[in-house]
Each structure stands twice: as C-alpha cells, then as structure tokens.
Amino acid sequence: MALSDDLRDLYQQVILDHSRSPRNHGQLHGEGCVHVHGDNPTCGDEIDVWVKFAADGGVEDIKFEGQGCAISQASASMMTVKMKGTDAEKLKGLIQDFRATVTGEGTVKDEDTLGELALLEGVQKFPQRVKCATLAWRAVEQAMQQKGEGS
Amino acid sequence: MALSDDLRDLYQQVILDHSRSPRNHGQLHGEGCVHVHGDNPTCGDEIDVWVKFAADGGVEDIKFEGQGCAISQASASMMTVKMKGTDAEKLKGLIQDFRATVTGEGTVKDEDTLGELALLEGVQKFPQRVKCATLAWRAVEQAMQQKGEGS
Amino acid sequence: MTDLSHLRADFPILHQQVCGHPLVYFDNAATSQKPRQVIDALVHYYEHDNANVHRGLHELSNRSTANFEAVRKKVARFIGAEHEEEIIFTRGSTEGINLVAQAWSAQHLKAGDVVVITGMEHHSDIVSWQLAVERCGATLKHVPVLDDGTLDISVLDSLLATEPVKMLACVHISNSLGTINPVKEICAKARARGVATLIDGAQAVGHVPVNVRDIGCDFYVFSGHKMCAPTGIGGLYGRLETLNSMQPWHGGGEMIETVTLERSTYKAAPHRFEAGTPDIAGVIGLGAAIDYLESVGLENIQAHGRELTLYAMEKLNALPGLRLLGPPAPADRASLAGFTLACAHPHDLVEFANTQGLALRGGHHCTQPLMKRFKAPGTTRASFYFYNTQAEVDRMIDILNQAIAFFS
Amino acid sequence: MTDLSHLRADFPILHQQVCGHPLVYFDNAATSQKPRQVIDALVHYYEHDNANVHRGLHELSNRSTANFEAVRKKVARFIGAEHEEEIIFTRGSTEGINLVAQAWSAQHLKAGDVVVITGMEHHSDIVSWQLAVERCGATLKHVPVLDDGTLDISVLDSLLATEPVKMLACVHISNSLGTINPVKEICAKARARGVATLIDGAQAVGHVPVNVRDIGCDFYVFSGHKMCAPTGIGGLYGRLETLNSMQPWHGGGEMIETVTLERSTYKAAPHRFEAGTPDIAGVIGLGAAIDYLESVGLENIQAHGRELTLYAMEKLNALPGLRLLGPPAPADRASLAGFTLACAHPHDLVEFANTQGLALRGGHHCTQPLMKRFKAPGTTRASFYFYNTQAEVDRMIDILNQAIAFFS
Ligand SMILES: Cc1ncc(COP(=O)(O)O)c(C=O)c1O
Ligand SMILES: Cc1ncc(COP(=O)(O)O)c(C=O)c1O
C-alpha cells in the first residue's frame, strides 16, 4: 500500500518537521508590537500572530501560537522564519509569491526569497487546504493593515 | 373518440339536467328555518342550504343556492327533492345510504328511498369528486346539528 | 412556427397513454416535465458522488461540494446576478418569498410601514406578506388589476407617492392570466422612492430570458420544478449588500462561524441563509436543467411559446361561450391560457379532458383574489412549454368542442 | 456477526475506486448512500407520474397526490405516530427544528421562559433555539455532558424543578459521541412538569427502531438523507393537538383555505405547515427508502451496527495515542466512533485516509460546544451503516496504523 505521491508532496519531511517543532513559537509584547488572532471557523484552526514591525514597515520580529492541522501550523512556522528581518518591499513580494505557490494562480517572482516555503506547492493538489496554508499569512496581512491604521 | 363509460356514468343525463335546472333553488326564511353555508375551499364550490325542520326532526321544506361543478350542484338539487317531507328516521338513513353510494364504502340499506340519487354511484370511480357530491349533504348535517343545539 | 418537437424524445413521461389516449400535458405552469438529461444527472450523482457538502475532506465530499457550488455560479450567470454569493438555494419560490418576508422584514419593516403587493399575486406572495405585516403592525396594500389583465400602474404611483412604502412585491408573470408585468419599470419606480422590491419569477425563469440586474430588483425568486429541474429545489436572488444586512433566518449547520452554548456568529451570504444539509441532488439537477434549457435556447423557448399561445388563443376565442382572461395581445403574455366556459365548470371540464388524455388544470390556481376580481369561480388553464406542439393544441380544441356538446 | 454484506450489491456508489483504492465509505453520519431501489423510485416518478400534487384533477396529478400522501401514512407507521396528519414533510432535521423553534415558540414562548437543550446538541438545535429565545426574551440553559459522554440528568432534574422551563430539546443519538440518550425517561420527566419536548432523531430514524408514542415526545425530527432516502427530504412529527394549536409558519399555496387580499384562513395540520410545492420526488424516494429499510429489518440494522462498532472500538482502543470519545460500552452507543490521535490533527488524518480510498470525517461535526467540552480541536469520526463490513474496519485500522507511522 504505497502512499500517493500527492500526499508525500503535501506532507514533505520539512513540513512535518515544522509542524512538530514550530519555530518562533510564543508571544511578543511591548511597543510596536501588533497582535492578531485568526481562525478558520469551519475547520477549527486557530492562530495568534505577534509582529514587531521595523520603522520601514518590514518585520523586525515575529512569533506565533496556534492549533490546527499540520499544514496550517507548518506554514505559520516556516513563514515566521522567512519573514523575520524582511524589509517592507520583500515582505509584500513574499506574500504574493507564497499565495501563487499554494494556489497555482499567478507566477512566483522571487524563488530565492521563497526558499523552503516553495515546498508548500503540494497544497495546489488539495484546493480545500489552501485556507489552512494561508491562515497565518492572512493574519500577518491583517497586522500590516492594523499597523497602517495605527500610524 | 368515444367518451369513456366512466365519464358517462359520472355525468348521466339526469345529473346534467339537475345541474342545469336545479330544483328547490332559492331561500327559506321564518321560524324554524336553519341556514348553513358550506364550501370546498380548494375547489371553490359553495353552497347555501336553508332547512325548515318538522317537529319530529324531519325536513318540512328545503332550498339551496350555490355555485360549483355539475356534481356538487346536481347532488344538492337531487338531495332537496328527496329530503323534502322526509321524517327524521328516513333522513338519517338517506344520508348514510348516500354516503355509501358515492364512496363505495358500507352498504346501501334502502335503495327505494335513494331513488335517482343512486345515479351518483358513478362518483366512486372519481374519488377526488366525493367531496363535491357530499358538499350539500354535509351542510344539511351541520343544519341538523345547529337545530339540535338550538332546541 | 418554431419547431422544437424533436425535443419530445428527451422527455420519457410524454410518451404514455392516459385513459387510453396519448397524454397531452398542458399543466406546465403547475410543474414542468423533466428531460432524460436531468434524470440522468440525478442518477449519476447518487451512483458516483453522493456525500454531504462543505464539511468533508474526502473525495466524494470534495466532488459534491465542487459540483454543488458550480451550480450556484451557473444560476448566477443564468439569471444575470453579479455575484454567485447572491444566489441562495431554496425549496422553491414559496420558500424564497417567506425567507424575504421573514428575514428581511425582521430588520427593515416596522409598525406603520406599508408593503405593496398586486391583485394578481400567487397565494405565496399574499399570505407571506399578510403574516409579515401582522407580526410587526405594518399594513398591506395592493395594486389592482385592470379588465385587460394588466396592473393599474397609476395606483402604484399614488401609493408610492403618498404611503410609507418599504417593500413592493410583484409577480413577474401571472400564473393565472399569463400577464408579463413591466417589472423593470416597476422596480425603477420603487427604487426612486427607496422602496425594496421582490419579484416572483416562478413562471418566468426558464421560460423567458431573465436578468435580475437589468430588472433592478432587490430580490427575485424562482422554482426549479417549473423549469425542467427536480422538485424541491429553487433559488432566491438577493443583492449582496441587502442579504448581508439581514440577520440569519434558520439556525443550523453550514450557516455559522463559531457556536458556543451562549452565542453564535454567522457566515456571510449565501451560506448564512442555507442552514442544514441542502438538497444536494436537487441542486445538481437544477444545474443540468439550466444546461439543457441553454442548449435549447431561451429565445427559442420564448418564441415557440408565443407562437403556440397565439395559435391557441385564436382557436379558443372561436369557441362558443368561452371567455379568455388576461391580456388580449399574445405579445404581452406568457404561454398559457386561462378561460371560463359558460356551459361547464372548470372541474367538470378538466375531468372530461382527462378521460381523453388531456391534462388541464381547473380551479383558482392559488390566486383566489384574482378569481373574485374577475367574478369567476375558477378558470380552466392550459399552459404550454417548449415540448408542446400545435397538434396538441388542435387536440385540445377538439376535446373542448366535445365537452361543449356534452355539457350544453 | 450479522452479515448484511450481500446488500452492498444494491448500492452502486460503493463499487468504485477512490485514489486508486476501493472506496470505504465511513461517513454515514453525515449522509448515507442510496440503494438502487430508491434511485429507481425517483426515475420511475419522473418518467411516469410527475405532476404537482393536491391541485389537479388529471391523471398524473391524482397519481402523484395518492403516492405522496401514501408516504405520509408510511412515515407515520414507521415512527409510530398515531395519525398520518402528525407528519409534516421538511427538507430535513434542521428545517423541522426551525419550524418548531419559530412556529411553536411564537405561540408558547415568552419573556422569562426557559428553554433547555443539552451540551451535545447539533448546531441546528443550538442556534435555532438561540434565535428563538433572542426573539422573545426567553433564556437558554443546558444539561451538561459527563466525562463518559452521557448527560448529567441531575442537572436536568434541578432545572425542571427550579426554572420556568417551557421546552426541552434533546438529541436522540449524538452525532459526535454516538451516545444514545434515554429520551423516553427524559420526556417523562419533562411531561410531568408540563414541559414540551423536541427530540432530534437525525441519527436515529432508520438506524434503530423509533416509536414516537413510546418516547412520549411532542415533536420529533429526522432527515431522509441519513436513512437511504434522497437529499432534501425529511420529516417532523408533532402531536396533532399541539400542531393545530400553532399558527402557520410559511405562507403559500396548499396551506390555505380561503385567501382574500385582506385576510386568510388556514388548513389544519399537516398541510398548514407545508406551504408551496413540496419535494414530491423526495417524498416518493423517502417512501422507497422506508420500504427498503423495512425489508432489511431495523433490528438487523441495529444489531449489525452494534457488532461492527464493538469490533471497531476494540481495534481503535489498541492504537497508540488514540482517545475515543463517548460511552465506553458499545451497547449504549450508536454505530459511530469519534476519536482523537495524539500525532495527527483530524484534517491531516482524513486527508491521509482519503488517499487510501477511506472516507472519514474530521472536524467539529457541527458540535463546537461539545468539542470544547472535551478539549478537542475536533475529532476524526468513522460512522457505519448496514452495508459496511468488518473487512472495511480492518482496512481502516491498517490505514490508521500507517498514518500514525507517517505523522509521528
Ligand atoms: C406565480 C407563482 N408564484 C409562486 C408559486 C409558488 O411556487 P412553488 O410552489 O414552487 O413554491 C407559483 C407556482 O405554483 C407561481 O405560479
Ligand atoms: C444530531 C443531528 N442533528 C441535526 C442534524 C442536521 O440534519 P440536516 O443537516 O439533515 O438538517 C444532523 C446532521 O447533520 C445531526 O447529526
């Protein structure tokens, strides 16, 4: 009973590893920190993201807590790794490229920056999991908006 | 294109004749007269029956007005002819026998009294028309009840 | 005449004998027949894809959900809605009207307000609004019907000008008269006064091209079973912002975001208004019906209906003692003819016709006030669809002639 | 073990490959599959009898009406109702619950009253009552669930003794835990206090013998699609005098006696609560499903389910990191198993299973408060019906073992 290739693509070792041992797990407090809660009510996935924005609008530091499926938690963990220290310009590109990666719509402009996140390409074959993969990302977009409104 | 036997049985010449020229058409007023309105809301058939009961509970006089299908109007007309002058005992028997005739349930006890009304037997083949044939009869039953309550 | 008789082969039910005669089915305004293609879609669904929608992650559920939501998109396109989220699946027109009369009214109708309907509404559009105004102390008024079977628009104008009207509910095509109402003009008048509009399209969708954006209504309802789709499915169109301004109607699965024992939050339209397991197969069948009707072409369906009605009206008008209700010009009416015969009550006529294999409908057609308006105890109605033929109309006229001879 | 595997031949959908593996369908609590006999009944209806009910006098309409009303009688017998007039056709359990929560409450629930539900209700029974109490200023309380997945009846006793309770709504069989509640005992307690009762039988009818008179409830709802019938049809049982004490719910055709533009009068139950064209084919299909289930035998279905669940529970309990929710004794539960696995989230597990052809369901199963109660983000649920086999359970255990190896 061999596992299907699609399934192996979806749950690559790196992804399972991130879901089991999430990086940047925890909270951030203090000035300049924005906290956003996101959820996928139908599946019950939940995420809390804390972002400390840099002066230029980039991400100085980022942490998260959450519960949910391997895809949502791994995506959050991998996202924080990539985002930490990213400037505003790159941040926007990264978000766009990631969405293109998991949906298969649009083109990825900067493969290098995406790095490991490109592994989440396997989600394309599982359209109903796109909202799992993008949960943390939507929280960050919301944080960017909140920051924008605050300043 | 011969007409079906069932249809000819339903609309016998006598029945059509009664529906075209109803007997005992009109109203009754004065002491001892009971007036009842009946309808079949789904088909729109309507009937008004006036009964002057005799002292023994029989029918001294009876008239009706109404609008509706040939079956409902013919049945009302033929009913008034038979009921006029009937004593209480015979009245009950007549009503039971008529119901047995049109529904095909139960047995007719007194064919003689029924007379012409036996022609409405054709209704048995058209179960959805039973309520047309019995419209006026239900009104008389209601009148009997009202009289009973009044005395 | 537009010849669509080859399509009869798609309808298994038409090829049967009734009382020893070939069936002539002229009761299409009550419900239409279903083509093989729609029946096959149901069978295929149950034999291959059946699973509950929205909640699963397994293959059958994914397939069902994708097919189900694809029909929402199809319906939106078919009736000219801007967003697929504007389409709510209902059991039929009646449920759609009740949804609006309850959920919209709860938010937007209060004591002293006026709801306007017309004298030619179907009971569903009368009774739901009677119940709605009763609940909140509003008042129901109506636009009367003129002798020619059209609406007295001058009364509408004066109601809109003088009364605190909040909602105008109007039938697109009258199921008793065949009148096609000028709904675009009517909705424009209402909109100019800030009055919301609900159009009852039970007799229109699948029979004439319908575009809700062009009509400019806030709500529009239709029944699948009258347009080749299965029984038990229909649709409500609502403008997105209007729908999302309304609180939920029924509580249950699929319409919620989070539920605690204390309180709940709700999804946006359309799911907010689709509590519980929907009629999934019905939706799939509705999609197949739309595909089928589009392959025939709405313009062809309309043209054929108009020609057949013109033909039938000429023949009917020649019968002694026959009074035809509704607009005299076939261009202003849909493909049905409601009439009275001096010598026979509708029920006797329908009974007679049935013994000759002809399916007509007699009665008040769920429009009792309209019958009273025309002083008819009821009418006999012949209603056509694209699979009906001129030969069938000839057969009807034959049978009516026999009936006249029989009952006179 | 009760062997019903020969019945698989009646279910075309079961004989397919999913992701290259034979389909194992364990999502029966979401919806059941349909036997050939039910599909055939639908096809026969559309190919021979299709016509609108109640309103016609022609042959097809008479046939449809007779067949339609015959199913009402059949349903009444099937669930032990005294009168066929006590059966109202609905889209499913959710619509039935909402009908009661709206139409019964309008007459019988007022500010200050209390409605009691339980901690294991489906969202449909939580949200409809939340909406109902909100409308009139009543209060919603609940009977909590104990660790073993049964109700804390002592809390019910004290609520009934101390609160102005007017309605008690309780699920017959929990769709998440599998708990079979002692509904007869519960209804007796309520009745002793003059409290009305609504039992949600979505998971019970067609799975265990149900007799509403024996249960002694005022209302009982069920969904056809969970018992081999088509989607879009279900039933509400209500005691006749209770139903006739309620005002209409939806306005429309079939539920009225006379309509004027000013006011209307209404039919008695059941038609009072069936406005508009019903899902006629759905009703016909429901009748065919009942015939089918009775030919299999409810006792056989129940025995088979119990044996299969016992077998599955033993195997599941042996898996590392698996926590089974609900009563530990299979005799107290219906044929489903909801569980969590330490190493994998339900959605990952269901996704994994699907690639092996196994259809499980993962998530909150429309019981979010219950998930919170058991501190689970959701569960994975395997739910069985009579056409499932021991070999399929073995296959599931195999796949779960692989999943554990994969995700750990
Ligand atoms: C004009 C009109 N409105 C509403 C309805 C009600 O539709 P349904 O019975 O499908 O809910 C009908 C059909 O009976 C109709 O003809
Ligand atoms: C216990 C219970 N109640 C109510 C429902 C709702 O049933 P439906 O979605 O068929 O209306 C379900 C099924 O989802 C259920 O399992």
Side-chain angles (χ1 to χ4, degrees), chain B residues 93-111:
Chain B
L94 180 66
I95 294 175
Q96 276 168 16
D97 282 355
F98 178 72
R99 183 151 286 136
T101 302
V102 293
T103 60
E105 291 160 18
T107 49
V108 175
K109 302 221 174 71
D110 184 354
E111 298 251 7

mmCIF file of all heavy atoms in Angstrom, chain B residues 93-111:
data_model
loop_
_atom_site.group_PDB
_atom_site.id
_atom_site.type_symbol
_atom_site.label_atom_id
_atom_site.label_comp_id
_atom_site.label_asym_id
_atom_site.label_seq_id
_atom_site.Cartn_x
_atom_site.Cartn_y
_atom_site.Cartn_z
ATOM 1 N N GLY B 93 -81.177 7.681 7.511
ATOM 2 C CA GLY B 93 -80.893 6.550 6.637
ATOM 3 C C GLY B 93 -80.477 7.024 5.255
ATOM 4 O O GLY B 93 -79.521 6.515 4.664
ATOM 5 N N LEU B 94 -81.162 8.037 4.777
ATOM 6 C CA LEU B 94 -80.867 8.579 3.451
ATOM 7 C C LEU B 94 -79.430 9.101 3.378
ATOM 8 O O LEU B 94 -78.695 8.824 2.421
ATOM 9 C CB LEU B 94 -81.868 9.712 3.146
ATOM 10 C CG LEU B 94 -81.727 10.410 1.799
ATOM 11 C CD1 LEU B 94 -82.055 9.441 0.652
ATOM 12 C CD2 LEU B 94 -82.648 11.638 1.723
ATOM 13 N N ILE B 95 -79.079 9.851 4.397
ATOM 14 C CA ILE B 95 -77.724 10.422 4.411
ATOM 15 C C ILE B 95 -76.671 9.305 4.421
ATOM 16 O O ILE B 95 -75.694 9.344 3.681
ATOM 17 C CB ILE B 95 -77.552 11.367 5.620
ATOM 18 C CG1 ILE B 95 -78.479 12.583 5.446
ATOM 19 C CG2 ILE B 95 -76.105 11.812 5.768
ATOM 20 C CD1 ILE B 95 -78.486 13.538 6.638
ATOM 21 N N GLN B 96 -76.908 8.289 5.249
ATOM 22 C CA GLN B 96 -75.950 7.164 5.305
ATOM 23 C C GLN B 96 -75.882 6.435 3.971
ATOM 24 O O GLN B 96 -74.803 6.106 3.478
ATOM 25 C CB GLN B 96 -76.366 6.185 6.405
ATOM 26 C CG GLN B 96 -75.865 6.603 7.779
ATOM 27 C CD GLN B 96 -76.527 5.792 8.896
ATOM 28 O OE1 GLN B 96 -77.121 4.756 8.643
ATOM 29 N NE2 GLN B 96 -76.411 6.290 10.119
ATOM 30 N N ASP B 97 -77.055 6.171 3.412
ATOM 31 C CA ASP B 97 -77.071 5.438 2.151
ATOM 32 C C ASP B 97 -76.410 6.226 1.030
ATOM 33 O O ASP B 97 -75.738 5.662 0.165
ATOM 34 C CB ASP B 97 -78.523 5.102 1.758
ATOM 35 C CG ASP B 97 -79.043 3.909 2.560
ATOM 36 O OD1 ASP B 97 -78.246 3.323 3.327
ATOM 37 O OD2 ASP B 97 -80.239 3.577 2.417
ATOM 38 N N PHE B 98 -76.611 7.540 1.053
ATOM 39 C CA PHE B 98 -75.999 8.350 0.001
ATOM 40 C C PHE B 98 -74.469 8.304 0.107
ATOM 41 O O PHE B 98 -73.763 8.133 -0.888
ATOM 42 C CB PHE B 98 -76.483 9.801 0.067
ATOM 43 C CG PHE B 98 -75.839 10.661 -0.978
ATOM 44 C CD1 PHE B 98 -76.194 10.531 -2.316
ATOM 45 C CD2 PHE B 98 -74.841 11.573 -0.642
ATOM 46 C CE1 PHE B 98 -75.586 11.297 -3.298
ATOM 47 C CE2 PHE B 98 -74.222 12.338 -1.620
ATOM 48 C CZ PHE B 98 -74.600 12.202 -2.952
ATOM 49 N N ARG B 99 -73.989 8.425 1.332
ATOM 50 C CA ARG B 99 -72.527 8.371 1.513
ATOM 51 C C ARG B 99 -71.989 7.028 1.020
ATOM 52 O O ARG B 99 -70.961 6.970 0.343
ATOM 53 C CB ARG B 99 -72.175 8.628 2.980
ATOM 54 C CG ARG B 99 -70.689 8.658 3.234
ATOM 55 C CD ARG B 99 -70.299 9.546 4.409
ATOM 56 N NE ARG B 99 -70.380 10.969 4.108
ATOM 57 C CZ ARG B 99 -70.917 11.886 4.914
ATOM 58 N NH1 ARG B 99 -71.419 11.532 6.081
ATOM 59 N NH2 ARG B 99 -70.922 13.146 4.563
ATOM 60 N N ALA B 100 -72.678 5.966 1.355
ATOM 61 C CA ALA B 100 -72.242 4.627 0.908
ATOM 62 C C ALA B 100 -72.231 4.564 -0.624
ATOM 63 O O ALA B 100 -71.343 3.965 -1.235
ATOM 64 C CB ALA B 100 -73.162 3.560 1.484
ATOM 65 N N THR B 101 -73.208 5.224 -1.234
ATOM 66 C CA THR B 101 -73.312 5.194 -2.696
ATOM 67 C C THR B 101 -72.125 5.870 -3.378
ATOM 68 O O THR B 101 -71.557 5.336 -4.332
ATOM 69 C CB THR B 101 -74.610 5.918 -3.146
ATOM 70 O OG1 THR B 101 -75.723 5.273 -2.538
ATOM 71 C CG2 THR B 101 -74.746 5.906 -4.658
ATOM 72 N N VAL B 102 -71.750 7.026 -2.894
ATOM 73 C CA VAL B 102 -70.692 7.772 -3.598
ATOM 74 C C VAL B 102 -69.289 7.312 -3.210
ATOM 75 O O VAL B 102 -68.356 7.441 -3.988
ATOM 76 C CB VAL B 102 -70.824 9.303 -3.413
ATOM 77 C CG1 VAL B 102 -72.086 9.807 -4.112
ATOM 78 C CG2 VAL B 102 -70.792 9.711 -1.954
ATOM 79 N N THR B 103 -69.135 6.790 -1.986
ATOM 80 C CA THR B 103 -67.795 6.357 -1.586
ATOM 81 C C THR B 103 -67.564 4.900 -1.913
ATOM 82 O O THR B 103 -66.417 4.473 -2.058
ATOM 83 C CB THR B 103 -67.577 6.528 -0.066
ATOM 84 O OG1 THR B 103 -68.544 5.727 0.618
ATOM 85 C CG2 THR B 103 -67.716 7.976 0.359
ATOM 86 N N GLY B 104 -68.651 4.121 -2.008
ATOM 87 C CA GLY B 104 -68.470 2.692 -2.223
ATOM 88 C C GLY B 104 -68.108 1.980 -0.939
ATOM 89 O O GLY B 104 -67.803 0.789 -0.942
ATOM 90 N N GLU B 105 -68.111 2.706 0.193
ATOM 91 C CA GLU B 105 -67.818 2.074 1.486
ATOM 92 C C GLU B 105 -69.142 1.875 2.235
ATOM 93 O O GLU B 105 -69.963 2.773 2.314
ATOM 94 C CB GLU B 105 -66.875 2.963 2.305
ATOM 95 C CG GLU B 105 -65.467 3.023 1.708
ATOM 96 C CD GLU B 105 -64.676 4.226 2.196
ATOM 97 O OE1 GLU B 105 -65.052 4.811 3.223
ATOM 98 O OE2 GLU B 105 -63.687 4.589 1.531
ATOM 99 N N GLY B 106 -69.308 0.722 2.809
ATOM 100 C CA GLY B 106 -70.561 0.411 3.514
ATOM 101 C C GLY B 106 -71.615 -0.054 2.518
ATOM 102 O O GLY B 106 -71.363 -0.096 1.299
ATOM 103 N N THR B 107 -72.774 -0.414 3.020
ATOM 104 C CA THR B 107 -73.818 -0.905 2.109
ATOM 105 C C THR B 107 -75.044 -0.003 2.169
ATOM 106 O O THR B 107 -75.324 0.626 3.182
ATOM 107 C CB THR B 107 -74.266 -2.329 2.503
ATOM 108 O OG1 THR B 107 -74.536 -2.326 3.907
ATOM 109 C CG2 THR B 107 -73.202 -3.346 2.172
ATOM 110 N N VAL B 108 -75.730 0.040 1.035
ATOM 111 C CA VAL B 108 -76.948 0.830 0.942
ATOM 112 C C VAL B 108 -78.103 -0.002 1.511
ATOM 113 O O VAL B 108 -78.328 -1.136 1.067
ATOM 114 C CB VAL B 108 -77.226 1.195 -0.530
ATOM 115 C CG1 VAL B 108 -78.575 1.908 -0.646
ATOM 116 C CG2 VAL B 108 -76.091 2.073 -1.066
ATOM 117 N N LYS B 109 -78.814 0.547 2.494
ATOM 118 C CA LYS B 109 -79.852 -0.235 3.177
ATOM 119 C C LYS B 109 -81.213 -0.090 2.492
ATOM 120 O O LYS B 109 -82.023 -0.972 2.523
ATOM 121 C CB LYS B 109 -79.972 0.219 4.631
ATOM 122 C CG LYS B 109 -78.659 0.083 5.403
ATOM 123 C CD LYS B 109 -78.878 -0.453 6.815
ATOM 124 C CE LYS B 109 -77.530 -0.716 7.475
ATOM 125 N NZ LYS B 109 -76.813 0.541 7.808
ATOM 126 N N ASP B 110 -81.449 1.075 1.898
ATOM 127 C CA ASP B 110 -82.793 1.358 1.395
ATOM 128 C C ASP B 110 -82.719 1.969 0.001
ATOM 129 O O ASP B 110 -82.747 3.179 -0.182
ATOM 130 C CB ASP B 110 -83.470 2.328 2.391
ATOM 131 C CG ASP B 110 -84.928 2.606 1.994
ATOM 132 O OD1 ASP B 110 -85.341 2.137 0.910
ATOM 133 O OD2 ASP B 110 -85.613 3.285 2.762
ATOM 134 N N GLU B 111 -82.613 1.083 -0.981
ATOM 135 C CA GLU B 111 -82.446 1.524 -2.371
ATOM 136 C C GLU B 111 -83.638 2.367 -2.829
ATOM 137 O O GLU B 111 -83.492 3.312 -3.596
ATOM 138 C CB GLU B 111 -82.342 0.304 -3.300
ATOM 139 C CG GLU B 111 -81.149 -0.594 -3.040
ATOM 140 C CD GLU B 111 -80.112 -0.490 -4.160
ATOM 141 O OE1 GLU B 111 -80.289 0.365 -5.044
ATOM 142 O OE2 GLU B 111 -79.134 -1.248 -4.124
#
